[in-house]
Amino acid sequence: MLKEVHMPKLSPKSDEYFFGTWQKQPGDAVKQGDILFEVETDKVISEVQSQEDGILKAQLVDEGAATKVGDLVATIEVNEE
Amino acid sequence: MIYIPVISKDVYFNFALEYYLLTQKRFEQPVFMLWSTTPTVMLGKYQDAVSELNFNYIQDHKINVVRRYSGGGTIYTDTGGCQFTFIQPDIASQMTFDTYLKTVAAALQQIQIPAQRNSRNDLVVNHRKFSGSAQYRHDGYTLHHGSLLFDTDQMQMLQALNVDHLKLQSKHIASVKQRTINLKTLRPDLTNETFMAELTKQILACFNHVDTYELTAEDQQLIVALAKHTFADSDFIYGKTPKSQFVKKAYLPGGGLVQFNIDLDHGQITNLHLSGDFFGDIDTAALNTKLQGTKYIPAEVMPKLAEFLQQTPILGITAEDLTRVIFA
């Protein structure tokens, strides 16, 4: 089953963030807690972790792009038991 | 609270020390350090070195270039200023961005410096900035650090960060220029050393219990390795911007007008086209081929230009002249 990853709210002051770097590539296995990507908001660098176990299917935001809270960032194929 | 005295003025070591404490040492108590470095420009994690730095000035004045793991803009610092660092686990009672700044501001007020916070989370006196802060969050820990201008060489600061803005495009975090002030103008009776000692005393007084931790020989060894392999690594410092394009041009007396159209990808030259009204039988495609893949750093570009000009000279223009145009 395909699960969507949306940009979480990381700053109380702003809803638009600078998308830093991807830490996982399409096809990589990801586990809950693995760092998926890094963003910058108000001089703060934050890491966003995966909430799922599975395979990263698609990166839907480019490094260096502006993203908003709620934007679809990635999809993860999760294993169905 | 754990206080760690820092003797080193090597910025690569000191940033590695922060990173080591954050990622490996992981104390359960909050950590505080106050430190200083030799002349250095510090880029934010996602800043474009090309857009922020005056490469020629930095090379001529032997200024260090380093990249932080935290966000925000580029700053200049030297032994006339200092940096404060707080590191702590993300627990319920953790300090927020605001609390760190309040702590530093309150400590400064105790030494008769009327510090206030502004809307950009900077510390100011009379609306003039003397301190900027940034954070990095990693695996359950937050690192908050900031700079303090006490007796920093402001002329050198202006020159090192004075960039010719001919850039066409580059995706990065841009710095915000603000009016600054050295705190020594408010406390001329202090040296930077006595200022740092006073500030440390006042910050530690904000906490109920303070232990001092001295770095062990093993700590030092691990930090030195981190400094070398990460913070002093030119790929980490210069290779952060995915892509940028810009034009550099200048009239060189005795040589003529030269213009470079340059494309970079992660700090490496992907395209460099030379044009102008200079006199010489230059094969610009061959020059492009020669420079492709070279790191955009004067020390890497100049030897290649020198080799090229040995084969096909340009009348009245040296490799050093061209390097200064490229990095102006």
Side-chain angles (χ1 to χ4, degrees), chain B residues 162-225:
Chain B
N162 178 25
V163 184
D164 174 14
H165 285 284
L166 285 170
K167 268 67 65 181
L168 297 179
Q169 55 173 316
S170 164
K171 287 180 176 177
H172 64 279
I173 298 282
S175 294
V176 177
K177 305 276 181 203
Q178 291 176 82
R179 292 180 71 205
T180 55
I181 185 172
N182 267 325
L183 294 178
K184 192 172 172 69
T185 56
L186 302 171
R187 287 296 308 265
D189 54 314
L190 299 178
T191 65
N192 193 39
E193 287 70 29
T194 52
F195 166 71
M196 287 174 69
E198 283 289 317
L199 183 61
T200 301
K201 194 170 109 187
Q202 295 302 334
I203 286 180
L204 296 182
C206 297
F207 297 87
N208 292 332
H209 180 81
V210 177
D211 290 321
T212 298
Y213 178 81
E214 301 281 354
L215 297 173
T216 64
E218 191 194 352
D219 292 330
Q220 304 252 10
Q221 208 175 2
L222 292 165
I223 295 161
V224 166

Side-chain angles (χ1 to χ4, degrees), chain B residues 11-176:
Chain B
V11 73
Y12 303 104
F13 179 92
N14 292 349
F15 270 151
L17 165 60
E18 285 186 337
Y19 192 73
Y20 169 73
L21 295 169
L22 178 80
T23 59
Q24 296 184 41
K25 207 73 187 174
R26 296 168 68 84
F27 285 109
E28 287 176 13
Q29 294 289 313
V31 170
F32 170 73
M33 305 187 290
L34 190 68
W35 47 280
S36 186
T37 84
T38 54
T40 298
V41 286
M42 299 177 176
L43 293 157
K45 177 81 183 271
Y46 289 111
Q47 288 206 289
D48 177 17
V50 176
S51 304
E52 299 293 335
L53 307 182
N54 180 341
F55 282 85
N56 287 333
Y57 188 87
I58 284 167
Q59 171 143 308
D60 293 348
H61 292 81
K62 299 186 169 41
I63 297 170
N64 300 310
V65 180
V66 68
R67 187 178 291 280
R68 304 187 299 267
Y69 260 80
S70 59
T74 305
I75 64 154
Y76 169 83
T77 186
D78 55 24
T79 50
C82 56
Q83 323 300 126
F84 58 85
T85 306
F86 293 96
I87 300 167
Q88 68 164 19
D90 296 339
I91 49 171
S93 61
Q94 76 178 89
M95 293 165 82
T96 63
F97 210 114
D98 222 31
T99 335
Y100 292 109
L101 293 180
K102 273 186 191 159
T103 306
V104 177
L108 288 166
Q109 284 156 13
Q110 290 295 317
I111 52 174
Q112 291 81 53
I113 293 168
Q116 292 185 314
R117 286 167 293 140
N118 72 7
S119 58
R120 286 188 48 77
N121 280 331
D122 297 322
L123 291 175
V124 298
V125 167
N126 299 329
H127 306 291
R128 294 177 76 166
K129 176 178 174 178
F130 63 86
S131 175
S133 282
Q135 283 189 0
Y136 174 53
R137 292 180 185 151
H138 173 78
D139 197 16
Y141 275 74
T142 297
L143 182 149
H144 180 113
H145 55 189
S147 59
L148 291 163
L149 296 175
F150 184 77
D151 190 17
T152 291
D153 184 339
Q154 293 201 309
M155 190 55 75
Q156 183 129 301
M157 176 166 73
L158 281 173
Q159 291 293 327
L161 307 180
N162 178 25
V163 184
D164 174 14
H165 285 284
L166 285 170
K167 268 67 65 181
L168 297 179
Q169 55 173 316
S170 164
K171 287 180 176 177
H172 64 279
I173 298 282
S175 294
V176 177

Side-chain angles (χ1 to χ4, degrees), chain A residues 15-71:
Chain A
D15 283 346
E16 187 166 308
Y17 311 145
F18 177 91
F19 195 95
T21 42
W22 282 102
Q23 305 290 323
K24 294 283 181 187
Q25 301 306 316
D28 284 356
V30 295
K31 285 187 179 162
Q32 195 178 353
D34 282 355
I35 300 162
L36 288 178
F37 54 88
E38 202 174 78
V39 292
E40 176 163 348
T41 110
D42 308 326
K43 306 186 204 175
V44 180
I45 302 288
S46 298
E47 295 165 341
V48 175
Q49 298 174 336
S50 176
Q51 305 298 314
E52 313 286 347
D53 291 349
I55 305 287
L56 184 71
K57 294 300 283 184
Q59 297 172 337
L60 301 169
V61 177
D62 291 334
E63 294 183 348
T67 56
K68 288 186 177 155
V69 173
D71 279 357

